[in-house]
């Protein structure tokens, strides 16, 4: 075959090779299949989670599973399994239990306590103020439920028009939605059925300065049938100590105590005071610091309560709140943070008793509240940058000049 012809055959063969002029795929992905370096575009799977299911990082999708806060399932960063959750609020409804709009599944392994004493699931009532410790395993599984009453004692005054009670000097404000029940009974009472002398337990939220919002009221004994010795309990912040007078001031209440009990107590500390009434007088038997509600660093937290001004900033339920440049506010802003404001907070435990507030919502109803779902930002398809490849230009082949063959003389 002449040399020039062989060259053209080679060129045509290269052009015919599969993919000879196809552009290379973007790094790590498959062109045309939707697969990208970070996930599979065509299926909705994208970096940080699964787009099609609403599972993602930084927001809440269809399932409420997210890394930025607490959604419909309460399952937070890191996916499902091994995530700790702490909730402080009131029982809103049953079917398991709902606290702050989140369902917590009760299992045979769930532990219960009432004011520090062992309890059972039967001790849970609508409106009870509780602390729930849970783990996420597909759903929020309640490991421990602690019922923590605000006040237990004898009613000294009733203002039916204002729906207020006075117990141990504390002012208890009830709303029209506050359930009033009878101990160990399914019977409900109207607020006007409560009388001075009745012994009641109050579940509620601390408004500060000796004022409480009652979320549940249970009449333990009518005044005329109360036993000689009845329990006493008061939660709150220590506002003053009078060691020389053996007196402790919590909220609006001054109580006589054994001076030895004051040695381990400090002003500003959250405490629970226990004792009993004997011969009509309140006698304090113990004063104990309240256990920190949010202790496990890294745990997710949801809470509903009133703001108070602490030594280092805002607090609620004795938990210090740390705001930051990325804190989200709803129904207000950072300037709306005021003592006595009812807020819902979600975030993460930064240190024992300290919560990094990721979201703060103002003007909420603790008995009928759910953390609204954060709108999910649309996931845009990745922009693929195809590198430009210079295509070599091929000119016509150089053809060797024809060499004229000399004419040979005939030998004829």
């Amino acid at each position: 075959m002449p040399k020039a012809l062989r060259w053209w055959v080679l060129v045509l063969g290269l052009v015919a090779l599969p993919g000879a002029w196809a552009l290379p795929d973007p790094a790590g992905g498959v062109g045309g299949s939707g697969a990208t370096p970070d996930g599979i575009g065509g299926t909705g799977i994208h970096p940080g989670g699964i787009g099609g299911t609403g599972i993602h990082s930084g927001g809440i999708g269809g399932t409420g599973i997210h890394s930025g806060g607490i959604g419909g399932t309460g399952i937070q960063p890191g996916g499902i399994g091994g995530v700790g959750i702490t909730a402080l609020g009131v029982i809103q409804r049953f079917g398991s239990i709902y606290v702050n709009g989140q369902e917590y599944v009760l299992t045979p392994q769930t532990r219960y306590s009432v004011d520090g004493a062992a309890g059972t699931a039967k001790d849970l009532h609508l409106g009870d103020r509780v602390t729930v410790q849970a783990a996420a395993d597909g759903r929020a599984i309640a490991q421990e439920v602690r019922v923590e009453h605000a006040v237990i004692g004898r009613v000294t005054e009733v203002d039916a028009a204002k729906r207020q009670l006075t117990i141990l000097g504390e002012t208890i404000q009830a709303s029209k939605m506050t359930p009033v029940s009878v101990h160990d009974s399914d019977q409900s009472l109207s607020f006007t059925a409560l009388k001075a002398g009745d012994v009641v337990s109050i579940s509620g939220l601390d408004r500060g300065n000796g004022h409480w919002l009652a979320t549940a009221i249970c009449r333990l004994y009518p005044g005329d049938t109360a036993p000689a010795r009845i329990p006493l309990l008061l939660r709150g912040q220590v506002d003053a100590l009078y060691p020389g007078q053996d007196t402790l001031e919590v909220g609006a209440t001054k109580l006589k105590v054994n001076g030895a009990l004051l040695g381990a107590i400090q002003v500003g500390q959250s405490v629970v005071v226990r004792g009993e009434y004997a011969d009509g007088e309140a006698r304090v038997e113990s004063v104990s610091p309240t256990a920190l509600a949010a202790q496990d660093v890294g745990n997710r937290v949801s809470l509903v309560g009133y703001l108070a001004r602490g030594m280092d900033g805002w607090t609620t339920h004795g938990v210090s709140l740390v705001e930051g440049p990325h804190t989200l506010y709803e129904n207000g802003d950072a300037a709306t943070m005021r003592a006595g404001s009812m807020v819902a907070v979600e975030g993460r435990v930064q240190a024992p008793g300290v919560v990094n507030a990721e979201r703060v919502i103002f003007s909420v109803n603790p008995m009928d509240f759910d953390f609204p779902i954060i709108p999910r930002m649309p996931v845009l398809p990745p922009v693929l940058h195809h590198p430009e490849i210079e295509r070599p230009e091929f000119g016509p082949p150089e053809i060797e000049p024809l060499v004229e063959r000399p004419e040979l003389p005939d030998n004829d």
Side-chain angles (χ1 to χ4, degrees):
M1 180 183 294
K3 182 177 181 181
L5 183 58
R6 287 198 304 272
W7 194 98
W8 276 112
V9 170
L10 176 62
V11 170
L12 292 174
L14 289 173
V15 172
L17 286 175
W21 300 113
L23 294 181
D25 296 328
V30 182
S33 67
T36 67
D38 296 316
I40 304 173
T43 63
I45 302 176
H46 62 96
I50 305 172
T53 64
I55 305 174
H56 61 104
S57 63
I60 304 178
T63 65
I65 303 175
H66 63 104
S67 66
I70 301 176
T73 66
I75 302 171
Q76 277 80 31
I80 298 173
V83 179
I85 306 170
T86 302
L88 296 86
V90 300
I91 297 178
Q92 299 167 320
R93 59 188 186 275
F94 289 93
S96 292
I97 59 172
Y98 286 78
V99 179
N100 303 340
Q102 164 70 52
E103 181 184 13
Y104 293 92
V105 179
L106 305 179
T107 73
Q109 289 72 42
T110 302
R111 304 181 301 276
Y112 305 90
S113 65
V114 180
D115 299 322
T120 69
K122 294 182 179 180
D123 294 314
L124 305 181
H125 302 93
L126 187 69
D128 279 349
R129 190 276 197 196
V130 294
T131 298
V132 181
Q133 299 290 349
D137 187 12
R139 303 174 72 184
I141 309 298
Q143 298 171 319
E144 181 180 12
V145 182
R146 302 196 299 266
V147 178
E148 296 160 329
H149 290 106
V151 184
I152 300 176
R154 190 184 294 276
V155 176
T156 55
E157 186 178 348
V158 179
D159 188 329
K162 294 182 178 180
R163 300 183 65 84
Q164 286 183 350
L165 302 175
T166 303
I167 307 170
L168 292 171
E170 304 287 295
T171 300
I172 314 299
Q173 179 69 59
S175 73
K176 293 182 179 180
M177 301 298 294
T178 302
V180 182
S181 62
V182 176
H183 181 58
D184 287 340
S185 169
D186 294 330
Q187 181 183 356
S188 296
L189 296 175
S190 66
F191 184 85
T192 56
L194 299 174
K195 307 296 181 184
D198 289 352
V199 179
V200 301
S201 66
I202 305 293
S203 287
L205 303 176
D206 190 357
R207 304 178 68 174
N209 301 317
H211 288 73
W212 295 82
L213 172 67
T215 54
I217 301 173
C218 179
R219 190 180 69 183
L220 303 178
Y221 305 102
D224 55 357
T225 63
R229 305 174 81 88
I230 58 177
L232 171 158
L233 181 143
L234 174 62
R235 294 182 190 273
Q237 180 176 288
V238 177
D239 292 323
L241 294 172
Y242 305 97
Q245 303 174 25
D246 291 344
T247 301
L248 172 74
E249 184 174 338
V250 177
T253 305
K254 287 186 178 181
L255 294 167
K256 285 285 188 180
V257 300
N258 184 327
L261 298 176
L262 302 180
I265 303 300
Q266 300 177 354
V267 173
Q269 193 170 23
S270 294
V271 298
V272 54
V273 180
R274 293 182 173 86
E276 64 178 14
Y277 290 89
D279 302 323
E281 292 187 2
R283 295 183 180 177
V284 175
E285 297 176 346
S286 67
V287 182
S288 307
T290 303
L292 292 176
Q295 299 188 50
D296 298 328
V297 175
N299 264 18
R300 299 296 311 178
V301 175
S302 76
L303 56 87
V304 172
Y306 288 96
L307 287 175
R309 193 69 181 179
M311 298 292 291
D312 300 319
W314 296 111
T315 69
T316 184
H317 294 290
V319 174
S320 296
L321 305 178
V322 177
E323 301 169 82
H326 301 295
T327 301
L328 301 178
Y329 300 90
E330 298 182 29
N331 303 329
D333 53 31
T336 314
M337 301 283 281
R338 297 186 181 90
S341 296
M342 172 74 77
V343 295
V345 178
E346 61 177 357
R348 189 186 298 275
V349 180
Q350 179 175 302
V354 180
V355 169
N356 180 15
E358 296 173 354
R359 186 154 57 140
V360 179
I361 304 175
F362 299 93
S363 303
V364 299
N365 179 351
M367 289 294 294
D368 185 17
F369 172 77
D370 190 2
F371 282 98
I373 293 177
I374 300 174
R376 180 183 170 193
M377 297 301 292
V379 178
L380 300 178
V383 178
L384 301 180
H385 297 283
H386 296 279
E388 294 185 2
I389 301 177
E390 294 184 2
R391 179 179 300 183
E393 295 183 359
F394 291 91
E398 295 181 2
I399 300 175
E400 296 179 2
L402 295 177
V403 179
E404 292 183 1
R405 179 177 298 179
E407 293 183 4
L408 299 177
D410 293 334
N411 294 325
D412 294 343

